[in-house]
Amino acid sequence: KQWYQRRVRAKKNAFVLLGQQRFQEAAAFFLLADSLEDALELLLKYCQDPQLALVVARLYEEPQNATLGNTIDYNVCFKRILSTYILGRPLTEGGTQENGPLRTLRYENNPFICSMAH
């Protein structure tokens, strides 16, 4: 029960920070609330920082976080960011890349961002 209350308080604080347009701090509170997908969405959509999103996703996929009882496959989050925002190819349900053409995304033209995928 105490863990649940802490998560609720952290999410409330995240939404307050979101209202103040303090996106990185809000993402940190979403992480404290164990809400990885919300944190990654903030980092990608509002901060436009795919590097930070990749680092956060990679850190959260470490095995020590598996004891928290989460059923999210964090490796899928990392692959989704890499495929969709870096390479421009969305993932299918099974976690593999679609065979369609590359979509034009704003990160695609930056050679440093694209080099993270190799």
Side-chain angles (χ1 to χ4, degrees):
K1 184 175 178 178
Q2 193 176 39
W3 171 248
Y4 177 76
Q5 289 174 345
R6 288 180 186 165
R7 287 181 61 187
V8 169
R9 277 188 252 144
K11 272 198 174 185
K12 284 182 182 179
N13 288 331
F15 284 115
V16 168
L17 290 167
L18 191 58
Q20 297 172 355
Q21 296 186 357
R22 295 169 55 189
F23 302 119
Q24 289 180 337
E25 291 91 346
F29 273 91
F30 276 124
L31 292 174
L32 287 173
D34 203 28
S35 183
L36 176 64
E37 292 172 349
D38 292 329
L40 293 177
E41 181 181 347
L42 276 177
L43 293 173
L44 290 167
K45 187 176 179 181
Y46 295 107
C47 297
Q48 297 177 350
D49 193 349
Q51 274 184 288
L52 183 57
L54 284 171
V55 168
V56 168
R58 178 60 87 187
L59 289 175
Y60 259 72
E61 76 177 348
E62 292 296 320
Q64 68 262 19
N65 288 320
T67 60
L68 296 176
N70 245 331
T71 58
I72 297 173
D73 184 4
Y74 296 110
N75 196 26
V76 170
C77 292
F78 179 80
K79 288 178 184 176
R80 179 177 48 89
I81 294 169
L82 195 60
S83 295
T84 305
Y85 292 95
I86 308 300
L87 297 175
R89 287 185 186 214
L91 292 179
T92 60
E93 288 292 319
T96 58
Q97 285 189 345
E98 291 180 1
N99 291 332
L102 284 175
R103 296 184 312 174
T104 305
L105 295 173
R106 57 182 239 90
Y107 301 120
E108 186 177 310
N109 296 329
N110 187 337
F112 177 71
I113 299 293
C114 290
S115 72
M116 289 188 291
H118 297 290

